[in-house]
Amino acid sequence: MKLRVRSGDSLWYYCQLFLLPLDLVLDSNPDVDPNNLSVGTEISIPGFNTFGYKITKGDTIWKLAQSYHLNPEAILILNQTVNLNRLRIGDVINIPFRITRPIVNVGLKYDDAVLNKHLCELQRFYPFIKTRTIGKSVLGKPLQEILIGTGQKKININAAFHANEWITTPILMTFLNDYLLALTNTQNLCGIVMNPFYRSVQLSVVPMVNPDGVSLVLKGPTEEVRDSVVGINNESENFTAWKANIRGVDLNNQFPAKWEIEKERKEPKGPAPRDYPGDAPLTEPEAIAMANLVKESRFDRLIALHTQGEEFYWGYEGFEPEEASIIAKEFARVSGYKEVQYIDSHAGFKDWFIQEFRKPGFTLELGKGINPLPLSQFYDIYRKTLPIFIAALYT
């Protein structure tokens, strides 16, 4: 929601008027000097929207404010060009309202078009978040990172490395949306107040690492790639089992953590719907973008979302720090997921992160069944996973 500064206004006053934490308002207006507000400056108020109200007989600003549980000043400040002392029947004025419901719609097949729509809406209503493109897919689709918070602890959560595990994206986006709602409404999630984490944690979210592959699974191939992907897929146009990127490389087998072992033992020796680790580590733009992001950001912990199994992996070759065990036990306690320290697997994103940075890294296998997991499992998966997301903030 946008409003215009009046003489005597301050950002602190807006926080009192709309019951918002000051840091959210400050970070929603990074180009504004809070100590020198100029009359007429446009200010963003996070977590609010407006609707047009048509005046009826007997309406007054005081009555409307009472009806919508607002301070009358909240209406006055949005209607500075209207003579609110002489309202006429039929006049339309702006009424602010607090956003209390999610923007993210999880009842959809969640491809990159849906993701980008939701990201635009979240950026509009929660301008304290930062979004940026960290790279592009093989087909040139942007790989988006969302940043929330100003804390010293840096956490990355990513989803949809594997195409037919696309349900991990709406799971992560729902958490993101619920976190934003909790921040702007000063509410809790799972009984824990979220606002302190905004100041103690910087949360990085990469909701869809493999947009080309996700689109292939959900919509089928475009004419541009039809011949190549059908050939890789053994001449079948059923892509439900496809995990790889659009070039047939498994992005979670692309990292230089004993990559040569996976190259030798993986059955596919060329592009395939799954498991082919490529001709060398870090050949694919999506994997390169994620590696560069980690090198640049130096995260304190990392969580990669996959499906399925209701378990998570947290060790690699003894490189994991001691604190990883404590965090793993908390993840298992709050979710009921099984913790597994070691598995016979290499070249994964989590493996490389632990090996290179000696920081806690986790691969979460959400849900149970056959990939792609159906949307009918969404709420059960989210119910069990949400406590892990929150525990990642406080452990």
Side-chain angles (χ1 to χ4, degrees):
M1 182 178 76
K2 306 282 190 180
L3 55 79
R4 295 282 178 181
V5 173
R6 304 168 304 180
S7 178
D9 282 352
S10 67
L11 295 188
W12 176 246
Y13 174 68
Y14 300 149
C15 293
Q16 293 177 308
L17 189 60
F18 295 103
L19 301 178
L20 286 168
L22 179 60
D23 46 7
L24 299 186
V25 177
L26 287 170
D27 291 347
S28 295
N29 299 278
D31 298 326
V32 173
D33 181 354
N35 298 313
N36 188 26
L37 290 185
S38 299
V39 172
T41 300
E42 188 175 72
I43 299 295
S44 295
I45 302 297
F48 275 80
N49 198 3
T50 64
F51 69 93
Y53 176 85
K54 184 179 289 188
I55 298 298
T56 60
K57 185 177 180 180
D59 282 339
T60 68
I61 295 304
W62 298 98
K63 287 181 180 179
L64 290 173
Q66 190 173 36
S67 296
Y68 291 104
H69 307 288
L70 295 167
N71 186 315
E73 272 285 293
I75 300 176
L76 294 171
I77 201 170
L78 286 176
N79 296 276
Q80 296 179 41
T81 61
V82 178
N83 186 346
L84 298 179
N85 294 317
R86 293 185 178 181
L87 293 176
R88 297 175 299 180
I89 294 174
D91 284 348
V92 177
I93 64 171
N94 291 317
I95 302 288
F97 69 91
R98 184 182 294 274
I99 298 170
T100 59
R101 293 185 178 182
I103 290 168
V104 173
N105 181 351
V106 298
L108 302 170
K109 291 185 176 181
Y110 212 98
D111 65 2
D112 61 294
V114 176
L115 171 63
N116 290 334
K117 177 177 180 292
H118 285 161
L119 286 179
C120 286
E121 292 176 345
L122 290 174
Q123 182 76 68
R124 175 187 170 195
F125 294 120
Y126 303 99
F128 54 85
I129 68 175
K130 300 177 179 66
T131 60
R132 65 170 180 154
T133 299
I134 61 169
K136 292 186 177 180
S137 69
V138 171
L139 297 181
K141 295 181 177 181
L143 308 180
Q144 303 281 11
E145 181 195 31
I146 306 102
L147 289 170
I148 306 174
T150 58
Q152 293 297 310
K153 183 194 295 184
K154 294 184 177 182
I155 300 172
N156 173 262
I157 309 178
N158 57 81
F161 256 88
H162 287 147
N164 67 349
E165 299 174 8
W166 60 265
I167 198 172
T168 55
T169 296
I171 290 286
L172 182 51
M173 288 297 292
T174 297
F175 166 62
L176 176 66
N177 201 164
D178 284 351
Y179 185 34
L180 294 171
L181 283 169
L183 290 174
T184 52
N185 289 280
T186 318
Q187 293 177 343
N188 63 58
L189 290 175
C190 296
I192 297 176
V193 177
M194 292 289 104
N195 291 81
F197 297 121
Y198 186 82
R199 294 179 292 276
S200 64
V201 174
Q202 183 183 79
L203 177 63
S204 159
V205 170
V206 181
M208 189 176 289
V209 177
N210 186 6
D212 299 345
V214 169
S215 182
L216 178 66
V217 169
L218 292 177
K219 294 182 174 179
T222 62
E223 289 304 315
E224 177 186 4
V225 299
R226 181 178 299 278
D227 290 345
S228 63
V229 295
V230 169
I232 293 171
N233 204 36
N234 298 315
E235 304 305 320
S236 171
E237 294 203 22
N238 181 348
F239 294 96
T240 55
W242 189 283
K243 295 176 66 175
N245 76 347
I246 206 71
R247 287 202 289 229
V249 177
D250 191 320
L251 296 175
N252 204 39
N253 280 317
Q254 263 277 285
F255 293 88
K258 295 192 173 180
W259 174 89
E260 63 281 356
I261 293 177
E262 296 302 307
K263 176 66 173 177
E264 177 65 27
R265 68 183 178 181
K266 288 296 186 184
E267 185 174 333
K269 300 307 177 185
R274 56 174 295 162
D275 297 337
Y276 177 58
D279 295 330
L282 297 177
T283 60
E284 302 309 294
E286 301 92 343
I288 293 169
M290 292 303 292
N292 287 341
L293 173 65
V294 168
K295 291 174 184 176
E296 173 192 330
S297 300
R298 298 284 171 167
F299 298 115
D300 295 296
R301 67 189 57 166
L302 178 147
I303 299 174
L305 304 185
H306 290 258
T307 60
Q308 41 77 31
E310 293 194 350
E311 60 186 15
F312 61 89
Y313 316 128
W314 60 273
Y316 183 67
E317 299 289 290
F319 294 131
E320 66 279 0
E322 289 185 11
E323 66 177 303
S325 174
I326 298 171
I327 298 168
K329 286 180 170 53
E330 184 66 1
F331 284 4
R333 183 187 72 81
V334 299
S335 67
Y337 274 30
K338 178 183 178 182
E339 58 161 306
V340 180
Q341 185 170 8
Y342 298 125
I343 57 172
D344 185 17
S345 179
H346 305 280
F349 186 45
K350 175 269 295 180
D351 306 330
W352 172 78
F353 176 77
I354 294 174
Q355 171 189 279
E356 293 300 308
F357 300 98
R358 305 299 201 269
K359 298 287 182 67
F362 304 86
T363 297
L364 270 59
E365 300 286 355
L366 311 184
K368 284 187 176 181
I370 298 173
N371 291 330
L373 296 179
L375 278 172
S376 59
Q377 287 197 27
F378 181 91
Y379 289 104
D380 183 62
I381 293 172
Y382 185 64
R383 177 179 59 83
K384 294 177 181 177
T385 310
L386 175 59
I388 294 178
F389 295 147
I390 296 170
L393 301 177
Y394 68 70
T395 50

